């Protein structure tokens, strides 16, 4: 049974007609004989939408009681039992009433898709998680209900439902969207023309980006190298020089002339570490291009023009912006330069702009680091200087009427040997010494034109010449090797910091991170592969891969093992050993986080699976006590898995800024006792005085914070020792202290333990992914409080959670903008 297909109608704003379009599609499919049912559609008393429901089979909704009121939600079990071909599910971002099967409706949809049922759903652009801050800045309203962008991006088909702002306002004025008593408020707040225009632009740009992803994947799958100018995409070639800022601004102005224009700044570093770029200047330019809405890319390539053109074609660019060469006129004897070469080889489908700037023709200056791994051109010039130079010098000295003396002649030949060493390294210098000594002997040492030396002094001079030449060449070569090693290490550190920076900033997921690796090293595809054991097949970690990624490490051009059961596989070309070392270091860093998460999630799953398999075994007669023990193990594993996943989701919400606390006044003794439900009985002692003032907090977030602190304290407490949870009032604050008698934490580690994926000391694998304290602090700060660690007198660690006392300052929670269609309770945090 395959996975069902998801089709989403994406609305640019509420009321544009996405639900109507979904129902129209359902009628068309029914006419073609498709088994289509309504799993959940809310018409909101809109007459035209309600009419469209006629003739469609509707699954009966599930009725839930919550806080004395009755609500209806989609009955997932009923839909699965009915098993239609297509199910209509409205409002993908909807938060289900507490007590429902899943917390969010998109999770219900995932279950239907996994069961092989096709789903047609709807969502508005303002409900995408990544756009929450942007929508709030435009409309002044923070969306409480959101759906992860990845859920929508994974849809098999997305159709944008759009409407011109004035037409939508007319529709609202006619009462086709909201009830008459709500129309005036909506038109004067959320549905202002400027707001609708901005939301419309957001929707168009988001859909355009997804279309661009499809196009990129299609070009990769079909190996299309020719540029398709579907949108203006401008590549800026940077050298690390000061002219880069001018080029970036020029490219941004070009991008503004075309709708949806995109700027990609790229710096190409040689694989040998040779560079004249200023790291500080590159950092400034990166910040500039990102401030202007573009992206910065770091690519490795020895042939700068070829690497630049390959990058441009790889991203389907339409234009390249380069600066006028900084080389002086005489330097053109070494070649035409990057700009001319790129313009010559770009072809008819890629425009090249050469932009003048203040640094043009002023010279490049000396490179910051010179290396010993020389390009072909320098090695060739080294041999020409080392072999041809002495010959030309001999012709010059023998055809001029000047007797310089043997000592001066030797100095001139020695100069050529040093020049050959500087240009081509050791071997051209040795050749120069050999050729020079022979020419000196034949033409300048008596007897002339014979390979013999009459004067012993001249013999000594020639021997000294050869020894000095060899010594100079060796010293120059050794210095170049040391310089190369330093330059190579710096290049490696820059690449690693660049790639790791994307992880630490949370800018990319695994697939985007692999794309950065592929792009940086100029490969065709990249994938992180893993397997459970030596006999199991390889699978892609996180189902992520870039390009036509290999399915096995042995099928790749570059196979970088990471431990026993993980490997980074790339195709495109064979990399030198130095690049493989960089890849290995980076892959190890990426695998640490991936392994920590996957291992700790799989541990409880393995226990659950083992217990279930035992219970289902027909050849063993389990006693009631054994069955109870196995069921208890399943329950404990499920609770543990729920806690781990909850922490991961909470950390994701904190990092994306989607945690919006609902502050209200409450007594601590109503919340804190509930936080102890996740620890064994008798492992914690509670001391909450009844005289404490009420606190202004979000009860759900406070409960989750305290629960994480208590579970962490119990985990590190010695056997027989109880964790103390106490509270006290200080001025306008209330402190909750969680005290344990464990090993404690040194002062220099007290802040590190609050970082994500940190487990202090010898915490066993499977004890958690190291997010509990990070989530606890994040929730505390979201409520305006603090969380810090202190030493427990006599040994141990004390966590101090500080929150505001009620009445310490005015707490006002306003909801404006779009009228609420039914009561929505914030997501309740469970442990």
């Amino acid at each position: 049974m395959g996975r069902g297909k998801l089709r989403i109608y994406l609305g640019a704003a509420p009321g544009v007609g996405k639900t109507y379009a979904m129902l129209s599609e359902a009628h068309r499919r029914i006419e073609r004989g498709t088994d289509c049912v309504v799993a959940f559609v809310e018409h909101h008393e809109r007459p035209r939408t309600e009419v469209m429901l006629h003739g469609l089979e509707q699954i009966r909704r599930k009725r839930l009681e919550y806080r004395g009121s009755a609500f209806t939600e989609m009955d997932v079990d009923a839909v699965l039992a009915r098993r239609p071909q297509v199910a209509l599910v409205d409002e993908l971002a909807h938060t289900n009433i507490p007590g429902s099967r899943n917390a969010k409706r998109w999770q219900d949809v995932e279950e239907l898709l996994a069961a092989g049922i096709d789903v047609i759903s709807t969502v508005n652009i303002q409900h995408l998680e990544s756009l929450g801050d942007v929508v709030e800045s435009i409309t002044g309203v923070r969306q409480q209900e959101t759906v992860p962008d990845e859920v929508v991006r994974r849809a098999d088909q997305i159709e944008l439902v759009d409407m011109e702002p004035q037409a939508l306002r007319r529709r609202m004025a006619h009462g086709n969207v909201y009830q008459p008593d709500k129309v005036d408020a909506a038109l004067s707040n959320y549905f202002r023309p400027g707001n609708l225009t901005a939301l419309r632009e957001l929707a168009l740009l988001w859909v355009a980006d997804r279309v661009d992803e499809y196009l990129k994947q299609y070009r990769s799958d079909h190996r299309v190298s020719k540029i398709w100018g579907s949108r203006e995409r401008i590549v800026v070639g940077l050298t690390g020089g000061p002219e880069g800022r001018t080029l970036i601004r020029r490219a941004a102005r070009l991008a503004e002339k075309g709708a949806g224009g995109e700027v990609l700044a790229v710096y190409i570093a040689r694989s040998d570490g040779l560079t004249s770029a200023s790291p500080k200047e590159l950092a400034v330019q990166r910040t500039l291009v990102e401030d202007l809405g573009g992206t910065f890319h770091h690519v490795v390539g020895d042939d700068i023009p070829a690497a630049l053109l390959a990058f441009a074609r790889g991203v389907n660019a339409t234009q390249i912006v380069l600066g006028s060469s900084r080389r002086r006129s005489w330097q053109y004897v070494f070649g035409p330069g990057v700009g001319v070469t790129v313009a010559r080889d770009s072809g008819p489908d890629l425009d090249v702009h050469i932009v003048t700037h203040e640094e043009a023709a002023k010279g490049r200056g000396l490179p910051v680091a010179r290396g010993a791994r020389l390009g072909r051109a320098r090695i060739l010039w080294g041999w020409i200087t080392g072999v041809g130079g002495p010959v030309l010098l001999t012709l010059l000295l023998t055809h001029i009427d000047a007797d310089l003396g043997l000592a001066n002649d030797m100095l001139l030949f020695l100069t050529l040997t040093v020049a050959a060493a500087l240009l081509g390294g050791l071997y051209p210098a040795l050749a120069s010494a050999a050729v020079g000594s022979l020419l000196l002997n034949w033409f300048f040492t008596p007897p002339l034109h014979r390979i013999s030396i009459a004067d012993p002094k001249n013999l000594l001079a020639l021997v000294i010449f050869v020894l000095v030449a060899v010594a100079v060449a060796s010293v120059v070569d050794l210095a170049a090797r040391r310089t190369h090693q330093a330059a190579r290490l710096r290049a490696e550190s820059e690449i690693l910091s660049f790639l790791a920076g994307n992880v630490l900033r949370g800018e990319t997921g695994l697939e985007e991170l692999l794309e950065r690796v592929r792009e940086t090293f100029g490969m065709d595809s990249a994938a992180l592969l893993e397997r459970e054991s030596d006999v199991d097949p390889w699978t892609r970690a996180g189902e992520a891969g870039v390009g036509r990624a290999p399915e096995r490490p042995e099928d790749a051009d570059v196979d970088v093992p990471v431990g026993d059961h993980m490997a980074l596989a790339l195709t495109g070309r064979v990399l030198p050993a130095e690049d493989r070392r960089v890849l290995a270091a980076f892959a190890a860093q990426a695998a640490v986080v991936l392994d920590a998460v996957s291992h700790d999630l799989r541990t409880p799953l393995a226990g659950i699976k083992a217990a279930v398999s035992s219970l289902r075994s027909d050849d063993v007669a389990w006693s009631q006590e054994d069955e109870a023990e196995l069921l208890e193990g399943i329950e404990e594993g499920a609770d543990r898995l729920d806690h781990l996943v909850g922490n991961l989701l909470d950390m994701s919400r904190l990092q994306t800024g989607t945690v919006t606390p609902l502050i209200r006044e409450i007594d601590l003794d109503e919340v804190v006792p509930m936080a102890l439900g996740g620890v064994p009985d008798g492992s914690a002692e509670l001391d909450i005085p009844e005289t404490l003032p009420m606190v202004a907090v979000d009860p759900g977030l406070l409960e989750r914070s305290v629960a994480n602190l208590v579970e962490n304290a119990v985990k590190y407490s010695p056997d027989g020792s109880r964790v103390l949870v106490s509270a006290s009032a200080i001025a306008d604050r209330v402190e909750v202290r969680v005290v344990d008698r464990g090993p404690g934490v040194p002062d220099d580690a007290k802040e590190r333990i609050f970082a994500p994926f940190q487990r202090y000391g010898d915490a066993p694998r499977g004890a958690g992914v190291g997010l509990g304290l990070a989530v606890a602090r994040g929730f505390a700060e979201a409520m305006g409080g603090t969380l810090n660690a202190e030493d427990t007198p006599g040994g141990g660690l004390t966590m101090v959670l500080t929150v505001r006392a009620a009445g310490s300052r005015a707490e006002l929670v306003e909801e404006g903008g779009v009228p609420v269609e039914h009561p929505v309770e914030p997501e309740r945090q469970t442990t």
Side-chain angles (χ1 to χ4, degrees), residues 462-475:
L462 278 177
V463 171
I464 293 175
F465 166 77
V466 173
L467 292 177
V468 170
V470 172
V472 169
S474 300
V475 170

Side-chain angles (χ1 to χ4, degrees), residues 62 74-82 101 111:
K62 187 175 184 179
M74 180 174 68
D75 193 334
V76 179
D77 290 323
V79 179
L80 293 174
R82 170 62 174 77
R101 183 190 188 96
E111 285 198 42

Side-chain angles (χ1 to χ4, degrees), residues 296-614:
F296 183 89
H297 304 263
H298 192 290
V299 175
V300 175
D302 290 322
D303 189 334
I304 303 299
L308 182 60
L309 287 171
F311 175 83
R313 293 192 173 100
V315 299
N316 200 31
T318 57
Q319 301 179 56
I320 295 179
V321 174
L322 299 173
S324 298
S325 178
R326 287 185 286 151
R327 296 194 299 177
R328 300 185 187 277
S329 300
W330 63 268
Q331 291 177 305
Y332 281 95
V333 299
F334 297 104
V338 173
V340 174
T341 305
V342 170
R344 180 191 64 201
D345 299 338
S346 61
D349 52 357
L350 187 57
D351 297 334
V352 179
H353 301 266
I354 305 296
V355 178
T356 59
H357 52 84
E358 295 180 354
E359 302 298 323
K362 290 186 177 180
R364 294 182 178 179
L366 292 176
V368 174
R370 304 182 70 89
R373 180 177 294 179
L374 308 173
R376 293 181 179 178
R378 285 193 58 180
I379 294 176
L380 177 61
W381 278 106
W383 281 101
I384 291 175
T385 303
V387 178
V391 175
L392 293 176
L393 179 60
T394 300
L395 291 174
L396 177 64
L397 293 177
T398 56
H399 286 79
I400 64 173
D401 188 15
D403 186 9
L404 301 179
L406 182 59
N408 290 327
D409 293 338
M410 287 184 175
L411 288 176
L412 291 175
F413 277 92
L414 184 60
T415 301
L416 290 175
T417 301
V418 173
L422 291 173
L423 285 173
L426 178 62
Y427 295 110
L430 294 178
S432 177
V435 173
S437 63
L438 290 174
L439 292 174
L440 282 168
N441 186 5
W442 185 269
F443 288 100
F444 303 101
T445 306
L448 302 180
H449 308 302
R450 292 178 60 184
I451 305 298
S452 62
I453 302 174
D455 190 348
K457 294 182 179 179
N458 292 338
L459 176 60
L460 179 61
L462 278 177
V463 171
I464 293 175
F465 166 77
V466 173
L467 292 177
V468 170
V470 172
V472 169
S474 300
V475 170
V476 170
D477 182 71
L478 180 61
R481 289 177 183 275
R482 295 292 183 263
T483 304
H484 164 69
Q485 292 174 357
R488 179 70 201 183
L489 290 174
R490 188 184 70 176
E492 291 179 2
S493 65
E494 288 178 355
I495 292 172
L496 283 174
S497 64
F498 172 75
L499 293 173
N502 289 279
V503 180
L504 296 176
R505 287 189 298 270
E507 295 176 355
T508 56
L510 180 57
E511 186 162 346
E512 290 77 10
L513 191 60
L514 291 173
E515 170 62 25
R516 286 287 191 178
V517 175
R518 183 205 65 78
E519 174 187 280
T520 299
F521 292 95
M523 306 300 286
D524 294 334
S525 66
L528 191 62
L529 306 178
E530 63 177 349
R531 62 180 177 179
E532 289 293 328
S533 66
D534 294 336
V535 298
D536 291 323
W538 290 94
T539 59
R540 296 183 185 181
E543 296 296 324
V546 178
R548 301 177 67 89
E551 299 297 332
R552 301 179 305 167
E554 50 265 32
D555 297 334
D557 294 320
V558 179
D559 168 20
V560 182
V562 186
D564 296 331
H565 302 124
M566 187 173 290
L568 180 62
L570 303 98
T571 61
R573 63 188 177 96
V574 178
L575 293 179
E578 292 88 345
D579 288 345
R580 291 176 65 90
R581 185 170 65 250
V582 177
L583 277 174
F586 169 72
Q589 290 182 9
V592 165
V593 176
L594 182 64
D595 180 63
V597 174
S598 61
H599 183 282
D600 289 315
L601 289 178
R602 286 172 179 164
T603 298
L605 280 176
I608 294 173
K609 183 178 180 180
V612 172
S613 298
S614 299

